[in-house]
Amino acid sequence: ERMRDVDVLLIDKTGTLTEGKPTLFRVTTSNGMGKDELLGLAGALERRSEHPLGAAINAAAIPEITAQHETSDFESVTGMGIRGNVSGHKVVLGSQEYLSSMAIPTAPLESEADEHRTNGATVVWAAVDGSLAGIMAISDPVKASTEDAIRELHDEGIRIVMVTGDNAHTAHAVAAGLGIDDIRAGVLPEQKLETVREFQAAGHCVAMAGDGINDSPALAAADVGIAMGTGTDI
């Protein structure tokens, strides 16, 4: 009954607008790190993560190398990344902002990262023992049904706002041609909640659609929360 009053739909990107089946397609290393070595360390750390991007990295990692590593002191920082000790190395995986917050320089790979983002890819940054180790570019295509769905929602008079934790370059590339009304990128889970309340305070009836467990605060606060099938474990 509440759904009929919805005039704003906040929508997550991964697994909602996109297929939610990310694939690692490019690894670029730095500071003498070997590609197989980086994938081994990253894959070992990502075994402890539940994030779909982590699953993509783990799937691409070399099983024989990953199996040799022992992981301890795993820590996940919501909306930023993960870190832990892998066979005596301090490994950090996540956003560019996450590495920058630890004073790890990212400049050497920024131009390549921006190129991937402009093409709609998500970039995961990696550091080992306090130094930049590389970037991993991950693709997640837009669902074939997305464009038609957005058109039908617009026909119903509903405003579509993408709210994503991904980088602005990636968000705008994914949104290109879809007719999305507004884009909020680089948004942490608590900021998604704030966005829901912002539109509600302006008098809108808000629906929120997302698939990740990180979206659950915003899903709960919205007038209508829509959990995608891939995220119903929340």
Side-chain angles (χ1 to χ4, degrees), residues 174-193:
V174 170
L178 292 179
I180 290 173
D181 301 297
D182 191 6
I183 299 170
R184 310 286 180 94
V187 177
L188 296 174
E190 59 267 25
Q191 293 171 318
K192 290 187 179 184
L193 174 60

Side-chain angles (χ1 to χ4, degrees), residues 86-98:
V86 181
S87 297
H89 296 285
K90 293 182 178 180
V91 181
V92 177
L93 301 171
S95 67
Q96 185 175 354
E97 292 75 18
Y98 190 40

Side-chain angles (χ1 to χ4, degrees), residues 77-198:
V77 181
T78 302
M80 296 291 280
I82 59 174
R83 61 184 173 185
N85 293 324
V86 181
S87 297
H89 296 285
K90 293 182 178 180
V91 181
V92 177
L93 301 171
S95 67
Q96 185 175 354
E97 292 75 18
Y98 190 40
L99 268 65
S100 296
S101 72
M102 300 178 191
I104 299 170
T106 58
L109 294 176
E110 282 180 9
S111 60
E112 181 174 339
D114 283 343
E115 184 178 339
H116 291 313
R117 291 163 173 161
T118 301
N119 290 322
T122 297
V123 176
V124 175
W125 294 74
V128 176
D129 297 326
S131 296
L132 180 65
I135 55 174
M136 290 167 279
I138 297 172
S139 64
D140 186 15
V142 172
K143 290 177 182 174
S145 59
T146 294
E147 188 173 352
D148 287 343
I150 290 174
R151 186 181 301 112
E152 289 184 24
L153 288 164
H154 276 151
D155 289 345
E156 295 286 343
I158 296 174
R159 180 180 179 186
I160 312 293
V161 182
M162 180 201 289
V163 186
T164 177
D166 215 332
N167 178 275
H169 286 289
T170 302
H172 282 274
V174 170
L178 292 179
I180 290 173
D181 301 297
D182 191 6
I183 299 170
R184 310 286 180 94
V187 177
L188 296 174
E190 59 267 25
Q191 293 171 318
K192 290 187 179 184
L193 174 60
E194 291 168 8
T195 304
V196 170
R197 290 176 172 160
E198 171 194 331

